[in-house]
Amino acid sequence: MATAYSDIIDQSSPWPDDSRTIIFLLDTTSGIERQLLTDWINTHKPPGAEAQIIQLSLGDDRKPLEVTPLLNALSEGVDILVAPLRVAWTPSAGAIAAGPRLRDLIQGPERRPGFLRTRYTLSRHPERVHLIKGSPDGTDTMAGRFAGKYAIEASANREAFAIFIARQAAIVLDATERKLQGGRYKVPRYIAQSLRSNQILKDQLSTIAAERGEPIGEVKEELNEYFKEMISIPTSFWLDVWIKFCNFCLGLGYERALNYNPEDLERVRTIVRDHPSALLWTHKTYIDGFVVPKLLFDNNFPIPHFFAGANLNIPLLGFLGRRAGGIFIKRSFADNPVYKAALRQYIGYLMEKRFPLTWSFEGTRSRLGKLMPPKYGVLKYVIEGCHSAGSKDVHIIPVTVSYDLIRDAEEYAREQAGVPKAPESLGWLVGYIRSLARPMGKIYVDFGEPVVLPEPPSPDDRLALSKIAFQVAVEANRVTPITYPAVISMALLGVYPRAQTETEVAETVTDIVTWARSSALRMSPDFDRQQQEGMGKLLDLMIGEGIITRFTGGPTTVYGIEPANVGVASYYRNTIVHFFINKAIIELALIAIAEYGEFEPDQQVEALFWAEVLELRDLYKFEFFYPPTEVFQAEIAAELDRIDGNWRQELASGVKGARRLLAMMTPHVAHMTLQMYVESYSIAADLLANLEASETIDESDFVDRCMNYGKQALLQRRVSSEASNLKLLFKNAWDTLASRKLTDHSRPDWAEARLQQAEALDRLIYRVEISRASAIASRGRPTIRDGARSGL
């Protein structure tokens, strides 16, 4: 023990090479740590040197700092050098591999050991005991920073200045210790104390108190309650526990290794280190919140603070999340200025100090699978916080988390069919975690190019906010990978309820993949492997989940979509549908041109084509993200150029040219991608057209009546599947019809316009059927039904 102890305190000298008066500030939690640091100081004490030794406990941010000894040691008008010291304990390799254990709660974790573990480590493993020194700093220098930050002279509030010195000591010691423990353990310290000293916040509270006619003390007390509620309290131990919990949940059904591009991750590391940063991930399932922290933690990133709704602040999850960087915020607080001020300043502080933020892109958790228009809640508050803190070059990084399969897809399908959503609770959480224990394939994480804000816009600039959200959404869509289950679902839904042989499925998948590669779309890593082998495994996985059926009783094995899970299969197809929208729009526009018959010599066929294209774009403007019109038209033209560089001349020739272009468009995708949207919008338009002249309707009633009408249409086989009978589709159809002034009587020609819209959607269904019949005719043996379609 004596030899081990001697080896520890013989580490490099803690004494600064400085002639000023020195205060050694010891951050200790036990008498053993104090003795170690004191002996370290005395062992290396230069001849004639003098210093004061002051012990403080800087580990618990929730407790007020007792700085009386430090306050007494400070001499006004004398520049004193403050040298902070600490004992750091590194864990064993076994503890790192195993992660946190139950006994750590009793004995203390190896990074912050209790009494017995401290003595054991000192005697048996002195190599894991490190005496560390933070960068020393003079009181004159710190007094200047204190005055600049809080607009208070150190001499005017000596206690506040002493607290400031103690907090600075904790920060520099943490920075030194992270060189031993890892950057993943970088956490903010003494946030509430720092925020309460913020002059901007003080002024805001004074204004609120004056407007309410309340004493400032009551407003400050309200602020303190909100700080207790929202400010996270991460520590190294609970971060380890959180990541172990994340690994456990993800490992129940998914392959343990996340799929990502290391070069992209290093690009993000540089951004996070150098700029105020936020990582916005597309929300598909509750476990998204486990994926991003795990990926960053595993790669030694500072763990990001993450936002979550107060509805998830439930027993266990709330306790653990808050200690791992979780910030649980109220869903609505527009009329609570104190809460808004607290949250705004908290966010600004984190961004200013380079602590990355992360949250799900609100509103994008689509029950249909595709990315939905975002809501601005947290994004608005983050931009407000950055604006208030004067942050520059804020980087908002789109992150897409994609899965082969997700457990939530079944729940989404039920919700959209009208089954109420179960409320979150502890019982719900346990049941949800248990439901993850089934094979679901791989997880993919992709990072888009950041949206950079040189100067955050004013909080009142809603146009700027919407543009930022739109840019993030478009970039997130761009980097969403195409996965095998999505392509297989797309291929089989295109012929539903018909089944296909494995060869037919493979040919369709190959055509889709070939087109996607030629368009330089992002593909999951599976596509770099042998396709048949990969598809076979994923088919088995989807069969096990009941999404796909396999019939082996005939001469050839065939595959189809399980009728009860059409909604689930549609969910996976919709995760990639945005990649095929332009191609589908071109197909339908060309089919429309082919319907015209003979054109007059002076008719501008290309102009008619573009009119059809833009009509389809406008019809589904609430379903998909489109770039500005000029860019969109350039994308359409580029796709046509890939089909045939002479497409304009072909179009000019009329019907024959349109048909030739259609024949070259392999694969046909309009029926695979748009059928459910066309059918649901047709139901909505029919319902509206059949209303009595005196009848008015609101959105909620409209959606409910569409759901019933859709069930009737399904029984009559007027629509292809239950996937066309979903609440969200009818809501978006309402928004489209309302934008065309068809939902009320404000248009003079409302009755005629409603009928024309219904007829136009009927024609669109017909065109989708032509696309479907053409695709089926090009592959496999046609049936009598297919023959009837080909005669349409």
Side-chain angles (χ1 to χ4, degrees), residues 217-251:
E218 290 184 13
V219 177
K220 288 182 176 179
E221 188 60 35
E222 182 181 348
L223 176 80
N224 290 336
E225 290 302 313
Y226 292 145
F227 278 163
K228 290 177 185 178
E229 178 183 314
M230 74 173 62
I231 293 178
S232 66
I233 46 175
T235 65
S236 59
F237 174 73
W238 288 109
L239 287 174
D240 287 338
V241 172
W242 174 246
I243 297 303
K244 190 168 185 175
F245 179 64
C246 292
N247 284 327
F248 168 75
C249 293
L250 296 175

Side-chain angles (χ1 to χ4, degrees), residues 18 29 41 108 153 156 201 219 245 275 339 343 347 375 426 433 497 552 573 576 649 680 724 731 767:
D18 198 295
T29 58
I41 293 168
E153 293 299 324
L201 182 57
V219 177
F245 179 64
H275 304 282
Y339 192 93
L343 181 61
I347 291 171
K375 296 180 181 178
L426 181 58
I433 292 173
T552 59
R573 183 268 314 279
I576 62 170
Q649 291 88 327
S680 63
S724 302
K731 180 187 180 304
R767 292 167 192 165

